[in-house]
Amino acid sequence: MASRLLSASSRAASFLRISVAHRGFASVVNGLKYAESHEWVKIEDNHATVGITDHAQDHLGDVVYVELPEVGAAFKQGDSFGAVESVKATSDIYSPVSGEVIEVNEELNNSPGLVNSSPYEKGWIMKVIMKDPGELASLKDAGAYSKFCDEEDAKH
Amino acid sequence: MRGGLWQLGQSITRRLSQADKKAVARRYFASEADLKKTVLYDFHVANGGKMVPFAGWSMPIQYKDSIMDSTVNCRENGSLFDVAHMCGLSLKGKDAVPFLEKLVIADVAGLAPGTGSLTVFTNEKGGAIDDSVITKVQDDHIYLVVNAGCRDKDLAHIEEHMKAFKAKGGDVSWHIHDERSLLALQGPLAAPVLQHLTKEDLSKIYFGEFRIIDINGSSCFLTRTGYTGEDGFEISVPSENAVDLAKAILEKSEGKVRLTGLGARDSLRLEAGLCLYGNDMEQHTTPVEAGLTWAIGKRRRAEGGFLGAEVILKQLAEGPKVRRVGFFSSGPPARSHSEIQDDKGTNIGEITSGGFSPCLKKNIAMGYVKSGLHKAGTQVKILVRGKPYDGVVTKMPFVPTKYYKPS
């Protein structure tokens, strides 16, 4: 399992041209911002790409369905914008930033497993035009998120 | 990583508000230390088991294999489950059979020694207290296994009736098998693998049959039964020999039989169309509504004599108002409590279990609908997060069962 995640995150790293920190089983990607509800956001100008983290997909297991938002829908930071279904569990996904949806990853309709195999790259879920870039300050960077995950896991 | 599935469920679950989450977290932490452990606990952890709280026990929800892979492997090769959280019980005495017949719908008297059946413990209203696999070991010895989550109420119920029964001079006593641990070995390799560990000819033991035999050097209660729809066994082994037996089974299978957790166990039983008590059957559900009419013995239908018999016999005569059925559906998997509607948007029932079938690669579910709308092929809508998705009533089991029966 560790090696699979390692190779998946390395692929993501080369695509994003950023370095990857390996901690525990799950990986995080430097340069992204993370919500405590386990979504990541990648910023390019005022566009934000959103997905769920490697930690999240690893805990959820095989993803069998992703409920995508509608293009044009507007969400506030922390709003539920869809859901990820694994074999066993249904999980809401929360928008890490406020904004309007400009694109959704239609590939996930046929291949929801991309969320598992490529959480930071091919498994992205939506792109939004950010309303308030100031919100990014409330999110964690890779190091802080990784520490957060370790602490959460250590509780159990 | 341990407890992660539970925890992620907490952090990004749909149903709980922030305030509720904290309340649940407090309850969880308060009870975590109190969770009971089976004798295989350390073995699970050493094998990568992800332990979660289940019915007061710390149990593996999965191991290193994904739930998807584990489910498929059970049907292709085999699975070994620790089900020692379930409660094994013996009723003994010359009146054990008439005593039990007051509490369950089965024709216990009609069972041949060494055979058993799925049955239901009923209440005065004909509702299900629990489902249970019972075995007549001999005419004066019944062995049964009840759900972990129902243990306390089942034992209280049995004890109360046993006191009254004995007060009237009935001869019955019980023994709770806390000195034993229950393992379930399921799948096509179950019999060939287990045959390596016993001299008894397993080809002579058919589905539903029971023997007390030596397995891997200890005296075990062996029942050819299970909760997956596959051929297989439940083995009640002295607890001090349980880890050795688990290791021997895995070793003899050359790695093909895999340790399998509660996650895949739930997928497997759903694919097999089997009820999970607490989801698909509750205090208010009768065996007739649950589709378990076949488990009511012919003599019992004529004579009654069990709790709630009037209600159940009336339902048998008139037909139940609701019935448990299976569904295929599109969109996201239906889950328990999803509303079922007809094509006009009228409520006709509720889903009680649902998920993605690892073997069929599509959504399956079971639930209750009004009688008349229960026939296979009936088109319905199933609401998931407020949106209606197409569903169709489907015969169960979803995946054909492979019980070992005389040809």
Side-chain angles (χ1 to χ4, degrees):
Chain A
M1 175 177 278
S3 64
R4 181 178 63 77
L5 292 175
L6 210 71
S7 65
S9 56
S10 300
R11 282 200 306 275
S14 64
F15 176 76
L16 296 165
R17 296 185 186 287
I18 40 186
S19 64
V20 174
H22 298 295
R23 290 183 61 106
F25 284 99
S27 71
V28 296
V29 178
N30 288 328
L32 306 187
K33 288 284 199 172
Y34 299 87
E36 289 189 0
S37 48
H38 304 288
E39 295 84 14
W40 56 262
V41 55
K42 184 176 115 188
I43 311 300
E44 285 161 317
D45 301 325
N46 67 336
H47 291 192
T49 305
V50 176
I52 69 167
T53 66
D54 189 26
H55 178 88
Q57 72 76 23
D58 185 44
H59 281 54
L60 281 171
D62 308 296
V63 171
V64 297
Y65 189 87
V66 180
E67 191 171 287
L68 299 167
E70 304 271 336
V71 171
F75 297 103
K76 291 201 194 86
Q77 187 179 38
D79 280 356
S80 169
F81 69 92
V84 176
E85 301 265 3
S86 67
V87 174
K88 279 282 85 64
T90 303
S91 302
D92 262 1
I93 40 183
Y94 299 103
S95 187
V97 292
S98 304
E100 186 184 318
V101 181
I102 52 168
E103 194 180 347
V104 297
N105 187 356
E106 304 276 359
E107 282 288 303
L108 298 179
N109 287 330
N110 295 321
S111 307
L114 290 173
V115 171
N116 296 116
S117 60
S118 181
Y120 296 114
E121 187 191 337
K122 292 179 184 167
W124 67 275
I125 297 172
M126 68 169 182
K127 293 184 181 175
V128 300
I129 296 179
M130 269 198 300
K131 206 173 167 192
D132 176 11
E135 287 174 345
L136 295 172
S138 64
L139 300 173
K140 294 184 185 306
D141 64 17
Y145 174 69
S146 188
K147 190 160 169 267
F148 172 78
C149 291
D150 289 349
E151 285 167 2
E152 263 200 339
D153 285 348
K155 286 178 193 165
H156 295 278
Chain B
M1 202 57 69
R2 287 203 297 116
L5 285 170
W6 183 91
Q7 189 198 339
L8 193 78
Q10 284 303 295
S11 57
I12 56 177
T13 193
R14 150 165 294 277
R15 294 179 188 87
L16 301 175
S17 69
Q18 289 293 336
D20 286 343
K21 277 185 212 168
K22 283 179 189 150
V24 170
R26 273 199 301 277
R27 278 204 297 278
Y28 177 69
F29 290 123
S31 64
E32 192 173 27
D34 303 330
L35 288 176
K36 288 175 273 186
K37 293 173 180 174
T38 73
V39 291
L40 285 104
Y41 178 87
D42 291 340
F43 183 68
H44 297 318
V45 173
N47 283 279
K50 295 182 181 177
M51 309 304 287
V52 299
F54 180 81
W57 294 78
S58 179
M59 299 300 290
I61 183 114
Q62 65 178 105
Y63 298 82
K64 289 171 187 163
D65 302 344
S66 71
I67 292 172
M68 194 92 85
D69 292 345
S70 280
T71 305
V72 171
N73 184 66
C74 179
R75 301 210 190 282
E76 286 181 352
N77 295 297
S79 283
L80 181 65
F81 304 88
D82 176 10
V83 285
H85 58 309
M86 296 180 80
C87 176
L89 179 74
S90 281
L91 293 173
K92 291 186 177 178
K94 72 175 175 56
D95 299 321
V97 170
F99 168 69
L100 185 60
E101 283 206 343
K102 288 182 179 300
L103 305 183
V104 302
I105 58 176
D107 180 359
V108 189
L111 290 173
T115 67
S117 174
L118 175 72
T119 195
V120 177
F121 280 85
T122 47
N123 58 33
E124 281 83 355
K125 292 177 179 170
I129 292 174
D130 197 1
D131 57 353
S132 172
V133 172
I134 58 164
T135 300
K136 182 191 272 183
V137 181
Q138 292 159 7
D139 287 327
D140 62 353
H141 180 189
I142 309 293
Y143 170 68
L144 54 137
V145 177
V146 303
N147 282 303
C150 296
R151 174 183 173 127
D152 292 348
K153 73 166 181 178
D154 288 358
L155 294 184
H157 174 73
I158 294 168
E159 190 173 31
E160 182 196 334
H161 285 273
M162 193 153 57
K163 271 184 189 163
F165 188 83
K166 285 165 94 166
K168 290 180 190 163
D171 175 27
V172 62
S173 61
W174 72 7
H175 175 78
I176 300 160
H177 291 289
D178 284 340
E179 79 286 2
R180 290 181 167 270
S181 294
L182 195 64
L183 300 180
L185 174 61
Q186 300 282 293
L189 294 182
V193 167
L194 195 63
Q195 192 63 75
H196 286 294
L197 301 172
T198 182
K199 287 177 185 158
E200 207 76 20
D201 181 359
L202 297 177
S203 71
K204 301 275 170 32
I205 303 175
Y206 295 103
F207 180 69
E209 293 187 348
F210 173 94
R211 299 280 191 282
I212 298 177
I213 62 171
D214 184 285
I215 298 173
N216 200 38
S218 59
S219 176
C220 295
F221 298 173
L222 182 73
T223 316
R224 197 147 194 166
T225 187
Y227 195 44
T228 62
E230 295 297 311
D231 179 28
F233 305 89
E234 290 186 357
I235 310 160
S236 175
V237 56
S239 290
E240 64 270 25
N241 305 117
V243 174
D244 283 346
L245 177 57
K247 285 179 182 167
I249 288 169
L250 297 176
E251 195 182 302
K252 291 291 178 194
S253 83
E254 296 170 345
K256 288 180 179 162
V257 170
R258 307 281 293 170
L259 282 167
T260 306
L262 294 174
R265 187 168 163 83
D266 193 52
S267 295
L268 288 157
R269 70 91 195 167
L270 183 60
E271 290 181 338
L274 300 168
C275 288
L276 172 63
Y277 188 85
N279 275 40
D280 310 303
M281 225 196 305
E282 293 184 82
Q283 299 278 359
H284 59 81
T285 322
T286 72
V288 184
E289 293 163 353
L292 300 178
T293 299
W294 61 268
I296 309 173
K298 205 173 171 187
R299 180 177 58 80
R300 309 306 309 273
R301 293 182 206 196
E303 295 174 5
F306 49 93
L307 292 174
E310 309 80 59
V311 178
I312 288 171
L313 298 184
K314 187 163 176 268
Q315 273 193 354
L316 277 175
E318 298 175 357
K321 291 197 171 72
V322 296
R323 292 174 195 259
R324 182 174 65 94
V325 293
F327 300 94
F328 288 129
S329 69
S330 63
R335 307 287 185 182
S336 63
H337 305 301
S338 295
E339 183 180 340
I340 308 167
Q341 297 181 340
D342 65 12
D343 51 10
K344 297 186 188 76
T346 309
N347 180 313
I348 56 166
E350 192 179 83
I351 298 295
T352 51
S353 285
F356 183 82
S357 162
C359 295
L360 302 177
K361 306 284 183 233
K362 57 179 170 179
N363 300 329
I364 57 173
M366 59 173 87
Y368 285 80
V369 293
K370 289 178 182 164
S371 288
L373 298 167
H374 65 279
K375 296 200 175 67
T378 304
Q379 302 285 332
V380 300
K381 299 282 182 191
I382 299 173
L383 265 61
V384 180
R385 291 180 288 276
K387 289 182 202 160
Y389 295 91
D390 290 334
V392 59
V393 176
T394 307
K395 284 196 172 143
M396 293 188 286
F398 299 103
V399 174
T401 54
K402 293 182 185 159
Y403 303 131
Y404 181 68
K405 293 180 174 177
S407 48

